[in-house]
Amino acid sequence: MAKTAAITAVGGYLPEYRLSNSVLETMVDTSDEWITTRTGIKERRILREKGKGVSYMGIKAAEECLAKANVKPDEIDLVIFCTVTPDMPVANSASFVISEMGMNKAFGYDLQAACSGFLFGLNAASQYIESGRYEKVLVVSGDKMSSIIDYSDRTTCVIFGDGCGAVLLEPNEEGLGVQDSILRSDGIGRQYLHIKAGGSMYPPSKETVELGHHFVHQEGQQVFKFAVTNMADVSARIMERNNLSSDDVAWLVPHQANKRIIDATAKRMGLGSDKVMLNIDRYGNTTNGTLPLCLWDYEKQLKKGDNLVFAAFGGGFTWGAIYLKWAIDAK
């Protein structure tokens, strides 16, 4: 049987501080009812400690992941860090994780695909393993979204939170692990969801700071429209391509951006709510962190051989679906 790449351990980390809807009501013109009805979010976690970036959460998640797998840091070959909020420009966060954790033989890089980053990273990791080039690849995926959100903008501040997950991928010869992927991109998306300044097009300046161009800008209705259509379409397509019925799918692992988008995707796949991983109510949208944090939350309910369909949609636009057979027995 051909070698596949299987997830052999999952780790996660969430900051302690909970930013509830009731607190947001004191910050912007909104209400718990408005937020809950439109997004499904009740609270989100915020990393408030000064001087701590996304790598702090990534290291915590990675440490738990490796401990569960009984794998030492110097056994890791590669780290892929999926994030839109690296600790700093140029110096990639993956390299910092490697040095801080003592991964003496690993190399690493950051991957930026907005909310689809974990899908893209998982797909890349599986290719490295299937090729036989590497044995142990760590995908760290998460964001400190509070660092790029304007908390006077009610269209974005109610949605996003901070958090990070990590998964270890290793070779499998039982036919488990990553089975198929459909990944897509469309540049039309950057006019609807972006941070205008800070890149090479509009470098930082006093004016860009004063205008708030270093915060996330989102045109919610446009993003919602594209997300509902594309995330549902690609999820249904990967089922069709692999001859999967709704009975065959044990779990949908959806990006946690909006409860209505999740519901639409599940409906298109013919899945009941009992087969949908959901934590948006407690964490909000952690961008790159949502999918691995779903696995972290639901790990004890997963059984070896379960068919999982991952689905995400993000800025860019980027979107996709991955079909994976779970390789770990619940403990």
Side-chain angles (χ1 to χ4, degrees):
M1 186 172 287
K3 183 185 298 183
T4 54
I7 292 174
T8 56
V10 181
Y13 179 80
L14 292 160
E16 290 184 11
Y17 179 74
R18 290 171 164 84
L19 177 58
S20 66
N21 289 350
S22 60
V23 173
L24 281 172
E25 287 176 343
T26 69
M27 298 166 60
V28 291
D29 181 17
T30 190
S31 68
D32 173 66
E33 181 185 9
W34 190 92
I35 298 169
T36 304
T37 302
R38 286 161 178 77
T39 68
I41 302 168
K42 285 291 188 181
E43 63 179 27
R44 62 291 290 149
R45 302 293 186 92
I46 304 295
L47 183 62
R48 302 176 83 184
E49 292 87 340
K50 290 184 178 180
K52 291 183 177 178
V54 71
S55 70
Y56 171 80
M57 298 187 290
I59 289 169
K60 295 283 190 183
E63 286 174 342
E64 180 187 359
C65 183
L66 297 192
K68 283 182 179 177
N70 196 26
V71 168
K72 295 182 175 64
D74 60 8
E75 296 179 66
I76 298 298
D77 299 302
L78 166 63
V79 176
I80 303 173
F81 203 136
C82 311
T83 187
V84 296
T85 54
D87 288 357
M88 58 182 69
V90 182
N92 73 65
S93 298
S95 295
F96 187 69
V97 171
I98 287 167
S99 62
E100 288 296 294
M101 292 186 65
M103 299 177 182
N104 301 321
K105 73 171 185 176
F107 80 103
Y109 57 87
D110 290 1
L111 189 155
Q112 205 276 69
C115 297
S116 304
F118 180 76
L119 285 186
F120 287 26
L122 184 63
N123 182 71
S126 71
Q127 302 301 308
Y128 284 113
I129 288 173
E130 288 172 15
S131 72
R133 181 67 61 88
Y134 301 116
E135 294 285 312
K136 290 178 171 60
V137 179
L138 186 67
V139 179
V140 183
S141 194
D143 279 293
K144 184 183 175 182
M145 291 302 294
S146 61
S147 66
I148 55 172
I149 294 299
D150 178 0
Y151 282 90
S152 66
D153 176 10
R154 69 172 184 170
T155 65
T156 56
C157 73
V158 303
I159 298 170
F160 296 98
D162 302 340
C164 203
V167 298
L168 177 66
L169 285 101
E170 299 183 85
N172 183 279
E173 295 183 354
E174 301 177 85
L176 304 172
V178 176
Q179 305 294 308
D180 193 14
S181 64
I182 303 174
L183 306 176
R184 294 289 182 266
S185 301
D186 186 342
I188 191 176
R190 76 175 188 173
Q191 66 180 295
Y192 301 122
L193 178 54
H194 62 259
I195 294 176
K196 186 171 184 177
S200 58
M201 185 178 290
Y202 299 105
S205 67
K206 182 181 178 181
E207 182 184 16
T208 62
V209 172
E210 290 174 346
L211 291 172
H213 288 168
H214 296 269
F215 294 121
V216 170
H217 167 77
Q218 176 171 283
E219 295 182 26
Q221 289 299 321
Q222 289 291 342
V223 174
F224 181 86
K225 181 178 70 174
F226 278 93
V228 166
T229 302
N230 288 308
M231 196 164 133
D233 283 354
V234 77
S235 301
R237 186 179 169 199
I238 206 162
M239 287 177 65
E240 293 166 5
R241 198 157 86 173
N242 291 277
N243 298 312
L244 296 172
S245 70
S246 57
D247 291 335
D248 296 325
V249 177
W251 292 97
L252 167 64
V253 191
H255 174 50
Q256 309 284 305
N258 185 296
K259 176 76 162 47
R260 292 182 293 167
I261 297 172
I262 296 170
D263 290 344
T265 302
K267 183 178 180 180
R268 180 73 181 276
M269 296 170 69
L271 302 179
S273 60
D274 59 325
K275 288 187 172 186
V276 180
M277 293 188 186
L278 198 69
N279 57 25
I280 188 174
D281 55 324
R282 291 172 290 133
Y283 308 153
N285 181 355
T286 57
T287 305
N288 283 280
T290 65
L291 298 181
L293 285 172
C294 278
L295 294 179
W296 186 57
D297 272 351
Y298 283 80
E299 185 178 7
K300 291 182 179 178
Q301 298 183 50
L302 302 178
K303 299 185 291 293
K304 186 175 181 179
D306 277 354
N307 290 319
L308 275 58
V309 174
F310 295 79
F313 184 91
F317 289 128
T318 59
W319 69 97
I322 285 180
Y323 164 37
L324 175 143
K325 283 185 173 291
W326 194 245
I328 315 169
D329 276 318
K331 296 179 181 178

